[in-house]
Amino acid sequence: MRRIPLSAPAPTAAERARSIVGVAHSMTVVSEGRHSEVRRLDGAGVMGQVHLHAPFEGSGTPPGGRVPVRLELTDVAPTPVRDRLRARVTLTGLLAAPYDPESTESTCMEIGQCVLEDDNGRSYVTLQELEAAEPDPLATCEAGMLTHLVDDHPELVPLLLRLARPHPDGDVQRALPLGIDRYGLTLRLEHARSHQDIRLPFHKPVSHVDHVGPQIHALLAAARRLSHTGRLIT
């Protein structure tokens, strides 16, 4: 993949991991040699199913029944872009009791490590950072907003490309929205054998889903002004 440097504001690794963990509808649990697919998160995310806490640091013998576990979550783009996997979050640690995929009770997990893997590489997030980070306010409605843009307003994506810095190469075969968060909109530009991501920052970060409409309209207005004056960004 060819990547344009993203100097615009973007979520931190902790914010991305917290959003993925917080809104996931499913996860893979690996424990005692078994892989279990959990699909009953129902938008409550991992933290609604698994109680995460710091490693045991008390004196004496730690609580019994501690079983190694790995939770795997994937973040997949809701639009039909090339290479839809956007990120992967892996939580490793110890369970207070053997994992029961049929149980509806919350599971207690002593977290050892949280790892975020995306196009920027691998980032390690502490439990304190994960708990302190706020889920992105657009995370739960991102899929609906992006598919609405693709299905109902496909003509707006080429318009938004006029805001890209540097201006995209002329061999772009297709452009689609890849993601949206409190800081801005990311577009994926697909070439014959590669792709690149371009980030369009909002004028200011949004704190609520009701605030994103004006920010998108501001981007479109800026793109139209460039179009009307016939100026290209270089």
Side-chain angles (χ1 to χ4, degrees), residues 193-211:
R193 296 184 179 180
S194 64
H195 60 264
Q196 62 188 108
D197 297 342
I198 292 180
R199 189 164 180 82
L200 305 180
F202 294 147
H203 177 65
K204 61 180 181 179
V206 300
S207 57
H208 191 275
V209 63
D210 291 344
H211 303 159

Side-chain angles (χ1 to χ4, degrees), residues 14 91 111-115 123-133:
L91 299 167
I111 187 170
Q113 185 172 263
C114 173
V115 181
S123 301
Y124 295 88
V125 180
T126 67
L127 177 61
Q128 292 75 19
E129 292 171 331
L130 193 65
E131 292 179 331

Side-chain angles (χ1 to χ4, degrees), residues 48-129:
Q49 178 77 17
V50 180
H51 172 63
L52 305 177
H53 64 92
F56 176 79
E57 296 179 350
S59 59
T61 304
R66 289 149 52 97
V67 180
V69 66
R70 183 170 75 250
L71 310 182
E72 301 174 347
L73 303 98
T74 55
D75 176 33
V76 179
T79 52
V81 296
R82 179 186 298 162
D83 188 7
R84 294 181 63 190
L85 179 62
R86 298 187 300 190
R88 179 180 288 106
V89 171
T90 304
L91 299 167
T92 57
L94 298 170
L95 294 180
Y99 178 72
D100 180 3
E102 303 300 325
S103 174
T104 59
E105 298 295 326
S106 178
T107 300
C108 188
M109 177 179 174
E110 184 177 312
I111 187 170
Q113 185 172 263
C114 173
V115 181
L116 170 73
E117 296 176 275
D118 58 14
D119 289 337
N120 294 316
R122 178 178 296 179
S123 301
Y124 295 88
V125 180
T126 67
L127 177 61
Q128 292 75 19
E129 292 171 331

Side-chain angles (χ1 to χ4, degrees), residues 4-5 17 21 25 47 61 85 90 93 104 131-132 142 156 196 200 226-227 229:
I4 290 178
V21 168
H25 291 276
M47 291 183 169
T61 304
L85 179 62
T90 304
T104 59
E131 292 179 331
E142 178 193 28
L156 297 182
Q196 62 188 108
L200 305 180
L226 288 174
S227 181
T229 59

Side-chain angles (χ1 to χ4, degrees), residues 28 96 107 148 183 192 201 209:
T28 300
T107 300
H148 173 71
Y183 300 105
V209 63

Side-chain angles (χ1 to χ4, degrees), residues 6-22:
L6 303 182
S7 58
T12 65
E15 289 174 334
R16 288 207 67 196
R18 181 65 180 85
S19 295
I20 294 170
V21 168

